[in-house]
């Protein structure tokens, strides 16, 4: 009878998890273009990998070199494997759904492994899964976090040293291919599990020696895989970008970023709901805590407060660690132990309602911004096949972009940054901002197009066109601006708002308006101007 009751609870929990996942996926399936910052850039790259690089003039523009990166390439491998069979229009949303759901499913599985029972509490993992890393489009990172949690849950159920070591090495390789932060997250989880569910009664060096030794042994396979990768990788990455630090208020804000969306008070309500549930359970002696995972969550949260914003060629480090901390914390605690069936059902209903509230808040913003994506699509439809397009931005004020319509910015980052890249698969066009970073991507830009391209970066504002010189401080960020006559069209985004630093220069009519789509505006560069292109082979 006890086993039957456990099976029934497990079946009910699985149904609740399936319902929560279905609710969370609605915005991705309901809008033509999800408002995810890097998503259009990923779509363009995946389309090239799935066969697009061999179409039109792209063989002379892009090279695909699998030795350029051995990490951060899982979705690239998926595209090269099934992209010719599954259209990118289906594969892209599927990968985005995986990036959203896998971390939540992994946290639930880890919580089940830690406490040997299913719980409605773990449905709350979908809240931080909607955090800034997903909205910024860090697909490999999100999938890596999900696989890290799933791997830790599987590891907790394994017995026998040889089999466990082999699994740890194999899973570490999978995670390194997916994203290096996923491997680091996995190591932190394994260390927390190895510390055990209970703290020693007395904090003495001898009492801590055994669990700490277990934790060190647990992460050794991951360390060995990383060392081997650095020894053999042609482009290990992580060496060129100097660390960038942010003030303390931004660090504290980043700690709560996984529960925030595009602004408003809903994130505060959800944080209060989670902590309120914990406090109620603690007051009624209905709270269990896995000490090792709680320590891992605390260390990840502490890391959010001390790491730089940018390091090792990777940005938004604080936001990434913050999401890891929240997911680990949700797996590390179990409120409601001993509550009756009615209270348990009420908790599940509350969790589903919270997921629906968070999803609806995201969905309303995405729906509001579909007009921006439609405006870009309308302008790109007027561009001939094979054109070179220079995207520019208009900013009404300095960051943070408090003056923009809701959803056009996520903190200091404009969410429309990569929408012009839809012209790569749609118009076979060249744009300078496709991700092509050796050590992070397998796509690179061939000469002479590399003279008017960047590995990754933001959009320059319209006032910078014609004002940049080789000695300008930001010349390395926007090298294509000095060679703007090499392009055929200029596409201005955020064009329905004024640019704070001045208008787009027309250079005596050499840049002429073609169409005004509101949010996006298209200009043509005159043939005479294009003949002044200073890059041989691009005139």
């Amino acid at each position: 009878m006890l086993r039957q009751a456990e099976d029934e609870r497990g079946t009910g929990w699985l149904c609740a998890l399936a319902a929560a996942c279905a609710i969370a996926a609605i915005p991705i399936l309901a809008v033509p273009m999800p408002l995810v910052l890097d998503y259009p850039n990923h779509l363009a790259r995946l389309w090239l990998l799935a066969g697009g690089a061999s179409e039109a003039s792209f063989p002379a523009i892009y090279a695909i070199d699998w030795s350029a990166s051995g990490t951060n390439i899982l979705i690239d491998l998926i595209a090269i494997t099934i992209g010719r069979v599954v259209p990118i229009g289906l594969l892209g949303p599927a990968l985005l759904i995986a990036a959203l759901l896998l971390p939540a499913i992994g946290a639930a599985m880890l919580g089940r492994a830690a406490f040997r029972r299913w719980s409605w509490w773990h449905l709350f993992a979908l809240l931080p899964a909607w955090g800034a890393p997903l909205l910024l489009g860090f697909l490999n990172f999100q999938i890596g976090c999900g696989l890290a949690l799933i791997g830790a849950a599987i590891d907790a159920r394994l017995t026998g040293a040889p089999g466990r070591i082999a699994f740890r090495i194999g899973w570490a390789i999978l995670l390194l291919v997916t994203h290096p932060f996923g491997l680091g997250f996995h190591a932190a989880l394994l260390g927390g599990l190895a510390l055990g569910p209970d703290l020693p009664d007395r904090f003495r060096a001898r009492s801590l020696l055994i669990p700490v030794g277990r934790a060190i042994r647990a992460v050794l396979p991951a360390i060995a895989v990383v060392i081997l990768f650095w020894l053999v990788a042609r482009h290990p990455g992580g060496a060129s970008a100097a660390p960038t630090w942010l003030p303390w208020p931004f660090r504290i804000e980043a700690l709560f970023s996984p529960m925030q969306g595009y602004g408003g008070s809903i994130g505060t309500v959800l944080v209060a709901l989670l902590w309120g549930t914990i406090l109620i359970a603690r007051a009624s002696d209905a709270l269990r805590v896995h000490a090792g995972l709680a320590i891992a969550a605390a260390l990840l949260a502490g890391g959010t407060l001390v790491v730089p914003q940018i390091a090792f060629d990777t940005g938004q480090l604080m936001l990434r660690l913050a999401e890891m901390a929240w997911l680990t914390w949700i797996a590390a605690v179990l409120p409601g132990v001993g509550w009756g069936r009615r209270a348990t059902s009420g908790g599940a209903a509350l969790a589903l309602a919270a997921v629906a509230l968070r999803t609806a808040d995201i969905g309303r913003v995405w729906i509001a911004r579909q007009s921006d994506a439609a405006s870009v699509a309308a302008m790109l439809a007027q561009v001939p096949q094979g054109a070179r397009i220079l995207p520019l931005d208009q900013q009404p004020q300095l960051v943070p972009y408090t003056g923009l319509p809701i959803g056009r910015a996520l903190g200091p980052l404009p969410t429309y940054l990569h929408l012009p890249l839809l012209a790569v698969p749609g118009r076979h066009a060249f744009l300078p901002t496709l991700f092509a970073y050796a050590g992070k991507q397998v796509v690179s830009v061939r000469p002479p197009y590399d003279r008017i391209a960047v590995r990754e970066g933001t959009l320059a504002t319209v006032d910078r066109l014609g004002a940049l010189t080789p000695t300008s401080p930001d010349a390395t960020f926007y090298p294509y601006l000095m060679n703007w006559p090499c392009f055929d069209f200029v596409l201005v985004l955020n064009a329905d708002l004024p640019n704070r630093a001045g208008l787009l220069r027309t250079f005596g009519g050499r840049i002429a308006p073609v169409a005004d789509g509101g949010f996006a505006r298209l200009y043509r560069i005159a043939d005479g101007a294009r003949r002044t292109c200073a890059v041989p082979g691009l005139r």
Side-chain angles (χ1 to χ4, degrees):
M1 293 295 293
L2 182 62
R3 179 59 181 272
Q4 182 179 0
E6 175 69 18
D7 290 342
E8 290 176 353
R9 287 195 295 269
T11 301
W13 178 88
L14 288 174
C15 291
L17 178 62
C21 290
I23 292 171
I26 289 175
I28 297 174
L29 299 174
V31 299
M33 178 50 58
L35 189 65
V36 175
L37 174 59
D38 287 350
Y39 183 59
N41 208 317
H42 288 312
L43 286 181
R45 189 183 74 258
L46 297 179
W47 178 82
L48 290 170
L49 292 171
S54 62
E55 296 184 12
S57 60
F58 284 146
I61 300 176
Y62 296 112
I64 297 176
D65 181 7
W66 288 97
S67 67
S69 180
T71 185
N72 194 39
I73 59 171
L74 180 63
I75 64 174
D76 301 71
L77 291 171
I78 293 173
I80 200 76
T81 303
I82 65 174
R84 295 179 184 271
V85 179
V86 180
I88 295 300
L90 295 178
L91 182 59
L95 291 173
L96 191 53
I97 290 174
L100 168 65
L101 299 185
L102 282 178
I105 293 172
M109 291 177 60
L110 182 58
R112 167 69 175 86
F115 297 104
R116 298 294 191 268
R117 61 181 294 176
W118 305 112
S119 173
W120 53 269
W121 165 257
H122 298 125
L123 300 178
F124 282 120
L126 278 161
L127 303 182
W130 263 124
L134 187 281
L135 298 178
L136 292 174
F138 301 161
L139 300 190
N140 279 314
F141 168 79
Q142 286 283 119
I143 294 173
C145 284
L147 293 177
L149 290 156
I150 292 171
I154 296 173
D155 188 273
R157 305 296 293 270
L158 295 177
T159 58
R164 175 172 280 184
I165 292 174
F167 173 79
R168 286 175 176 172
I169 293 174
W171 206 262
I173 294 172
L174 172 63
L175 286 169
L176 187 60
V177 168
T178 305
H179 197 280
F181 278 42
L183 179 55
F185 187 27
H186 183 64
L189 296 172
L190 292 184
L193 288 171
L195 288 175
D198 302 307
L199 294 174
D201 294 334
R202 297 180 180 179
F203 285 94
R204 295 178 178 176
R206 183 174 299 177
S207 64
L208 292 174
L209 188 61
I210 294 177
V212 170
R214 288 198 305 264
I216 293 174
R217 290 195 300 271
V219 303
L220 283 178
I223 295 174
V225 168
V226 171
I227 292 175
L228 180 62
F229 172 76
W230 274 86
L231 290 175
V232 304
R234 177 182 167 192
H235 297 284
S240 63
T244 301
W245 304 83
L246 292 183
W248 273 99
F250 293 100
R251 299 169 186 269
I252 297 173
E253 182 180 354
L255 186 59
F256 293 93
S257 64
M259 303 301 292
Q260 302 293 330
Y262 297 97
S265 60
I266 290 180
T268 304
V269 171
L270 295 177
V271 170
L273 173 62
L274 290 180
W275 281 105
T277 302
I278 293 294
L279 294 175
I280 291 173
R282 180 68 180 87
S284 60
D285 198 25
L287 177 67
R288 292 177 60 188
V289 179
H290 188 287
L293 288 178
I295 291 173
L299 291 175
L300 290 168
T304 303
L305 301 177
V306 299
V307 298
Q309 175 72 342
I310 301 174
F312 307 112
D313 292 336
T314 303
Q316 311 302 328
L317 299 188
M318 297 186 301
L319 303 182
R320 298 172 194 260
L321 285 179
E323 180 169 319
M324 294 179 191
W326 279 85
L327 290 168
T328 306
W329 173 66
I330 288 176
V333 299
L334 188 70
V337 177
W339 286 356
R341 182 180 293 271
R342 181 176 297 180
T344 300
S345 298
L350 183 64
L352 287 172
V355 171
L357 178 64
R358 181 72 191 273
T359 303
D361 184 52
I362 298 293
R364 73 178 178 89
V365 177
W366 285 17
I367 291 172
R369 297 273 63 81
Q370 290 309 296
S371 59
D372 296 347
S375 175
V376 172
M379 296 300 98
L380 294 179
Q382 302 190 49
V383 172
Q385 294 280 324
R388 302 173 201 156
I389 303 174
L390 173 60
L392 296 174
D393 188 17
Q394 292 199 162
Q395 295 177 3
Q397 58 182 334
L398 290 172
V399 295
Y401 304 111
T402 54
L404 295 183
I406 187 169
R408 282 199 189 171
L410 187 65
L413 298 172
T415 56
Y416 51 83
L417 174 64
H418 297 298
L419 282 176
L421 269 299
L422 296 175
V424 173
R427 308 304 296 170
H428 292 86
F430 169 81
L431 290 95
T433 52
L434 181 81
F435 289 151
Y437 201 129
K440 297 170 69 174
Q441 280 89 37
V442 298
V443 175
S444 62
V445 182
R446 297 182 186 273
Y449 287 87
D450 59 342
R451 298 267 308 269
I452 57 170
V454 290
R455 300 179 299 179
E456 59 184 10
T458 61
L459 295 182
T461 52
V462 294
D463 58 281
R464 302 298 289 152
L465 190 65
L468 208 64
T469 67
T471 59
S472 299
D474 52 354
T476 57
F477 292 101
Y478 313 114
Y480 49 84
L481 290 184
M482 290 175 287
N483 291 305
W484 65 265
C486 300
F487 291 87
D488 303 307
F489 292 89
V490 175
L491 180 67
V492 178
L493 304 185
N494 216 29
D496 54 348
L497 295 176
N499 184 59
R500 60 180 174 81
L503 301 175
L504 175 69
R505 297 172 62 188
T506 61
F507 299 95
R510 288 189 291 173
I511 297 179
V514 175
D516 186 350
F519 170 75
R521 190 176 298 155
L522 184 66
Y523 296 82
R524 181 188 296 274
I525 297 177
D527 294 339
R530 290 200 299 274
R531 285 194 290 269
T532 65
C533 171
V535 180
L538 294 181
R539 294 176 183 173

